[in-house]
Amino acid sequence: MDPKLTEVSQYFERFKAACVREDIDTSANLLSQLKVLLTSFRSLPPLFEVTPNAVQELTIARDIYEHAVLLSVKMGDQDAFERDFFQLKPYYTDARKRLPRSPQEHMILGLNLLRLLVQNRIAEFHTELELLPAESLEDPCIKHAVELEQSFMEGAYNRVLTAKQTVPNQSYDYFMDLLAKTVRDEIAGCSEKAYDFLSINDARQMLLFSSDNELLKYINEEHPEWEIKDGSVIFQKAKETAPCKEIPSLQLINQTLSYARELERIV
Amino acid sequence: MKETPAPVAASSNSATSAAHLKEIASLIETGAYAREVRRIARAIRLTMALRRKLKTSVVSAFLNFALTPGSEPHARLSSYLPKEDDHEMEVDTATSVVQAPVKHSLPELEIFSYLLVLIFLIDQKKYSEAKACSSASIARLKNINRRTVDVLASRLYFYYSLSYEHTGDLAEIRGNLLALHQIATLRHDELGQETLLNLLLRNYLHYNLYDQAEKLRSKAPRFEAHSNQQFCRYLFYLGKIRTIQLEYTDAKESLLQAARKAPIAALGFRIQCTKWAVIVRLLLGEIPERTVFMQKGMETALRPYFELTNAVRIGDLELFKSVAEKFSATFSVDRTHNLIVRLRHNVIRTGLRNISISYSRISLADVAKKLRLDSPNPVADAESIVSKAIRDGAIDATIDHAKGWMVSKETGDIYSTNEPQMAFNSRIAFCLNMHNEAVRALRFPPNSHKEKEIAEKRRERQQQEQELAKHIAEEDDDEF
């Protein structure tokens, strides 16, 4: 085998061992060294040259990036995740014909979709979804993300929270926790508009706190305008937006001026 | 006995086609000499009309006429044509008028012959030869830099892409198309730029690469459209990109405009535009009218979408699911499957809206039952869905959690708000826009003010003016 390839494989083995040990620092170091070594291979994107060792090089590079992505999830670093995922993507799309399918492909794609959902980048979520062929949508990891997005859009937040139990993979937990926090904020926002008041018990159940104190702390920090009286939370419905009877004069003036200008042009 | 009339009839047909082609060739020549792009555009239009009647003999006869036989382009082009042996044709073509050797071998004529051969091959479904021919023509085009060739060149690009698309190799030519676009921009060839941009967008959209398509589209230089067809295509691709990116209002505008501007004959294109427009309108929450689906020639194609609209209008999830399953094949072919999945949310919203309008107070359990949400915990689901709908402003109501019901609010008087004024404003803006575009689209024949009046015409004109003056004078007299 090519000496460079052997070197890379050895480093890769050490990297994998460090990941399993949950040794974040060594893994990160080894990863940067591996990335530097990978630049010497000419068969990788963006060059995609055809060399005798192309398939092995591509496979090793892809495995390295997959592990990098999983590592970034463990570190909780979303930017690193994005970077590594973008580097991994050409291996899935352009090099599809040259390599056999990776077993972790769907899991990683599902992770990416989940990340976009958590960051509220729904347009990119859908664009990514379009790129997937129809049969990928049957895969449990991807299906999980898609159903999650649907429940989120519809507003069935309790479904979102129960989905937390049915994660296909350990690494999803990090994003699910972030999602839970977003969901809680959303529920609070909806409840504000939908209910006049809620008893403390109900509020606690809805917002998924385990004790009244946590609930009170949350309200104090995030929603100071809610009042707490007689064991119930009253949302500020009293300050209803007084139907503003004022005429939006500036807008009207602009519109009328534009009509006059256009009419002038019609000669 | 039947033999002789048939070849005669066929040969007379081919004779007229050949004659037409010769006319077209002379039109191109005059256009090239006078540097009038209009004539060449007209030549192309006439060729398109002739498409059906093209046969190998006609094409080879034309090649003999237009290009010096034995020259390199002629040899290359003839090699693409399939060899047919129709002896009776030989006699006729041999006796056709021997024209004076006017073989300046204009580049325009050469490119036109390439175009003709390419169209012929594609109509005959010989896609691999078409591919080879088009690649050769593109290579030839790179050396010619004349504005008069631009119209022909843009057609060539289109057929180049089409031949590759039919053989399924679109990804190969992406690099070439980008390079051609660059060259067209450098040469200020606006029609070529437009055509190539559309071809590139089509290329990316074919492979679902919406992200890259949008990046290209946002950076490419934009200018006034030269060709109506290209503008329609551009609007359609833009609408598709915007739909996927969840910008439904822009998408709706583009798609509807594309469907409206398209020529009546382009039925397939209009059907596609209408399909996407229907889905975008559903996603925006408005229900398209029945007349949209009943347009001439589109009824069968739009049937699945009609049933879908029905399901959304009623707000019934079960019906929606069954329709989606029933027509899933059609939807996958149209690539609208993912969009249909997004519609589920709209179905629920519409159902909720109907319930909220009809009931002043209704228990959440009943809401869940009416919406037919199939989930393990319908009441809790229904509650969260209703609260989100209230937050988004889709319905006007409050929830009473303790007693578990939803109370709708009274709807106020719309006329006392600004709504009618907004609606009026948008319509007025639209009409004014249309008027401005129509004025800008007015075209006058370019040299009409330079034409010298022939004596006869002048006399005529003077006569008319005299008559008019007399008429006015008479009228004035009548007044008194």
Side-chain angles (χ1 to χ4, degrees):
Chain A
M1 259 214 308
D2 199 18
K4 280 194 284 197
L5 203 52
T6 356
E7 198 186 342
V8 169
S9 329
Q10 281 170 349
Y11 267 108
F12 186 42
E13 293 301 317
R14 283 165 58 193
F15 175 60
K16 271 198 276 199
C19 284
V20 166
R21 277 198 318 260
E22 307 273 330
D23 187 356
I24 307 269
D25 295 323
T26 356
S27 326
N29 279 338
L30 284 169
L31 182 62
S32 8
Q33 284 175 341
L34 274 172
K35 282 191 186 172
V36 171
L37 284 173
L38 278 177
T39 52
S40 59
F41 289 153
R42 296 187 66 84
S43 68
L44 302 180
L47 292 173
F48 275 126
E49 275 184 15
V50 183
T51 65
N53 288 331
V55 176
Q56 289 156 320
E57 289 170 359
L58 285 169
T59 329
I60 276 211
R62 188 185 61 193
D63 290 338
I64 291 178
Y65 280 117
E66 283 178 358
H67 277 86
V69 161
L70 294 173
L71 179 66
S72 59
V73 172
K74 286 207 191 95
M75 291 199 296
D77 186 350
Q78 292 190 25
D79 291 329
F81 182 104
E82 196 167 340
R83 278 198 305 268
D84 291 326
F85 184 76
F86 274 138
Q87 284 188 302
L88 182 53
K89 219 161 149 208
Y91 291 91
Y92 289 152
T93 49
D94 299 327
R96 195 182 286 268
K97 296 186 210 122
R98 303 178 200 218
L99 292 182
R101 264 301 188 47
S102 154
Q104 297 193 317
E105 180 174 336
H106 286 265
M107 206 236 346
I108 297 208
L109 286 174
L111 260 181
N112 185 42
L113 287 174
L114 196 52
R115 175 186 65 97
L116 288 171
L117 187 60
V118 165
Q119 290 175 344
N120 213 11
R121 284 147 76 167
I122 311 288
E124 292 180 36
F125 180 94
H126 283 282
T127 325
E128 289 286 322
L129 207 55
E130 285 288 323
L131 283 174
L132 296 174
E135 62 271 358
S136 309
L137 293 172
E138 298 299 319
D139 185 82
C141 303
I142 300 195
K143 220 173 174 182
H144 179 254
V146 170
E147 282 173 6
L148 212 56
E149 195 258 343
Q150 275 217 319
S151 312
F152 200 76
M153 278 285 120
E154 285 168 16
Y157 296 120
N158 49 341
R159 240 186 282 171
V160 171
L161 296 165
T162 45
K164 203 167 159 196
Q165 270 77 43
T166 55
V167 277
N169 196 297
Q170 262 316 78
S171 27
Y172 280 50
D173 281 339
Y174 170 67
F175 288 115
M176 296 303 285
D177 292 330
L178 285 178
L179 199 60
K181 190 169 171 310
T182 326
V183 163
R184 182 173 292 153
D185 289 333
E186 289 278 315
I187 296 182
C190 292
S191 319
E192 204 168 49
K193 297 269 168 52
Y195 299 94
D196 287 328
F197 65 89
L198 269 183
S199 72
I200 294 259
N201 273 334
D202 293 329
R204 192 180 41 127
Q205 251 173 359
M206 275 228 216
L207 292 170
L208 305 164
F209 288 114
S210 38
S211 76
D212 287 347
N213 284 336
E214 283 185 29
L215 174 66
L216 293 170
K217 204 169 61 156
Y218 177 73
I219 294 182
N220 279 333
E221 281 170 15
E222 305 282 336
H223 294 281
E225 70 272 8
W226 295 356
E227 290 174 8
I228 308 182
K229 242 195 306 200
D230 306 332
S232 60
V233 185
I234 304 192
F235 306 107
Q236 281 290 22
K237 279 309 219 9
K239 64 149 172 72
E240 275 197 14
T241 45
C244 29
K245 290 283 204 261
E246 55 182 52
I247 308 173
S249 51
L250 196 60
Q251 196 187 28
L252 278 176
I253 293 175
N254 275 333
Q255 280 173 1
T256 324
L257 278 179
S258 70
Y259 298 156
R261 211 180 333 136
E262 295 287 337
L263 279 173
E264 197 87 39
R265 273 196 223 164
I266 303 175
V267 169
Chain B
M1 287 302 283
K2 283 281 186 179
E3 288 274 300
T4 26
V8 169
S11 64
S12 65
N13 257 340
S14 69
T16 39
S17 321
H20 276 161
L21 280 177
K22 290 188 189 131
E23 277 173 32
I24 294 176
S26 58
L27 196 60
I28 294 185
E29 273 180 38
T30 39
Y33 284 131
R35 299 220 180 275
E36 272 190 22
V37 185
R38 258 164 215 292
R39 309 234 174 138
I40 305 202
R42 218 168 101 214
I44 295 191
R45 277 206 294 276
L46 292 171
T47 324
M48 292 300 145
L50 267 190
R51 249 172 113 156
R52 306 267 150 102
K53 306 200 208 125
L54 282 181
K55 283 197 286 290
T56 324
S57 51
V58 177
V59 181
S60 47
F62 178 73
L63 283 179
N64 290 333
F65 163 69
L67 309 167
T68 39
S71 73
E72 198 206 324
H74 184 261
R76 218 180 309 144
L77 281 173
S78 315
S79 67
Y80 293 124
L81 292 176
K83 301 286 171 261
E84 276 179 30
D85 47 354
D86 31 1
H87 303 286
E88 45 283 54
M89 301 302 166
E90 297 282 351
V91 179
D92 284 286
T93 50
T95 56
S96 64
V97 181
V98 180
Q99 45 282 340
V102 192
K103 310 288 171 56
H104 300 280
S105 276
L106 282 175
E108 282 86 3
L109 271 183
E110 195 185 326
I111 301 293
F112 179 70
S113 340
Y114 267 111
L115 186 61
L116 196 64
V117 172
L118 196 50
I119 295 179
F120 177 64
L121 286 172
I122 290 190
D123 283 340
Q124 301 269 325
K125 303 210 190 311
K126 297 204 169 57
Y127 296 125
S128 31
E129 279 107 1
K131 242 167 69 166
C133 178
S134 52
S135 320
S137 64
I138 298 289
R140 181 81 185 88
L141 264 179
K142 289 208 178 132
N143 302 332
I144 309 181
N145 184 4
R146 284 170 157 221
R147 294 288 70 76
T148 39
V149 176
D150 285 346
V151 189
L152 296 162
S154 57
R155 287 295 172 130
L156 265 178
Y157 299 146
F158 175 68
Y159 286 112
Y160 173 54
S161 175
L162 187 65
S163 53
Y164 271 86
E165 188 170 337
H166 276 293
T167 46
D169 280 334
L170 259 187
E172 277 177 28
I173 58 168
R174 221 179 278 162
N176 283 352
L177 284 177
L178 284 167
L180 284 170
H181 187 249
Q182 207 178 14
I183 296 179
T185 323
L186 280 173
R187 291 183 184 166
H188 292 285
D189 171 14
E190 295 200 335
L191 184 57
Q193 268 180 286
E194 238 184 319
T195 323
L196 284 162
L197 182 64
N198 282 343
L199 288 174
L200 276 165
L201 285 178
R202 190 191 172 89
N203 202 321
Y204 285 128
L205 260 49
H206 184 85
Y207 291 104
N208 275 343
L209 295 167
Y210 288 97
D211 209 12
Q212 285 169 283
E214 173 57 18
K215 285 200 184 107
L216 172 67
R217 193 209 64 79
S218 53
K219 303 281 191 254
R222 290 277 300 126
F223 37 74
E224 281 299 318
H226 278 254
S227 147
N228 193 32
Q229 287 96 336
Q230 296 298 338
F231 189 47
C232 287
R233 287 191 184 119
Y234 175 75
L235 285 171
F236 177 58
Y237 297 140
L238 180 61
K240 270 172 112 165
I241 296 178
R242 289 275 176 259
T243 318
I244 302 293
Q245 290 185 328
L246 299 179
E247 290 177 34
Y248 298 132
T249 329
D250 292 335
K252 180 176 109 169
E253 227 179 87
S254 311
L255 288 167
L256 284 178
Q257 224 184 345
R260 232 179 297 134
K261 285 203 163 183
I264 309 281
L267 191 61
F269 178 74
R270 277 184 26 242
I271 291 183
Q272 278 293 100
C273 285
T274 324
K275 283 182 184 174
W276 279 73
V278 161
I279 296 191
V280 172
R281 286 173 81 173
L282 287 174
L283 282 166
L284 272 173
E286 46 177 86
I287 314 282
E289 315 84 38
R290 194 177 278 257
T291 45
V292 168
F293 301 98
M294 296 302 167
Q295 288 173 62
K296 226 176 81 152
M298 295 204 215
E299 283 144 40
T300 29
L302 289 178
R303 180 110 207 127
Y305 293 87
F306 177 63
E307 299 204 8
L308 199 66
T309 315
N310 219 11
V312 176
R313 184 174 61 89
I314 301 178
D316 189 348
L317 262 183
E318 293 284 325
L319 182 59
F320 174 73
K321 227 190 328 203
S322 62
V323 168
E325 274 167 24
K326 193 164 111 185
F327 292 113
S328 59
T330 333
F331 294 145
S332 346
V333 166
D334 288 335
R335 306 222 207 155
T336 45
H337 193 83
N338 288 334
L339 296 171
I340 311 278
V341 168
R342 286 192 224 170
L343 269 179
R344 185 157 178 251
H345 162 61
N346 284 70
V347 176
I348 298 184
R349 276 284 162 91
T350 322
L352 258 185
R353 225 197 317 247
N354 287 345
I355 294 178
S356 150
I357 295 180
S358 359
Y359 289 86
S360 58
R361 188 163 57 189
I362 176 171
S363 78
L364 288 168
D366 282 335
V367 170
K369 211 170 7 163
K370 281 191 191 289
L371 287 179
R372 301 213 227 171
L373 297 164
D374 52 348
S375 75
N377 204 356
V379 178
D381 274 356
E383 193 166 344
S384 9
I385 292 181
V386 169
S387 61
K388 181 153 199 273
I390 295 176
R391 204 260 306 254
D392 290 343
I395 58 178
D396 229 349
T398 40
I399 309 182
D400 193 341
H401 184 84
K403 305 206 187 94
W405 58 45
M406 174 178 101
V407 184
S408 319
K409 285 203 218 144
E410 300 266 323
T411 45
D413 180 18
I414 281 213
Y415 281 98
S416 62
T417 65
N418 272 332
E419 291 283 326
Q421 222 255 306
M422 299 292 175
F424 266 133
N425 189 39
S426 60
R427 285 171 209 208
I428 294 177
F430 174 72
C431 290
L432 287 172
N433 217 6
M434 180 85 76
H435 174 261
N436 285 339
E437 278 192 20
V439 168
R440 253 181 266 157
L442 279 176
R443 274 199 265 205
F444 299 96
N447 288 331
S448 61
H449 62 281
K450 285 200 207 139
E451 260 176 37
K452 291 228 246 317
E453 289 191 73
I454 322 169
E456 198 179 277
K457 279 216 173 143
R458 198 174 342 166
R459 239 181 294 135
E460 239 182 68
R461 186 173 54 91
Q462 281 174 340
Q463 206 179 21
Q464 277 177 358
E465 283 180 13
Q466 274 175 354
E467 278 180 9
L468 196 56
K470 225 185 347 183
H471 195 73
I472 297 181
E474 274 175 6
E475 260 187 37
D476 284 341
D477 286 343
D478 284 339
E479 296 271 298
F480 288 102

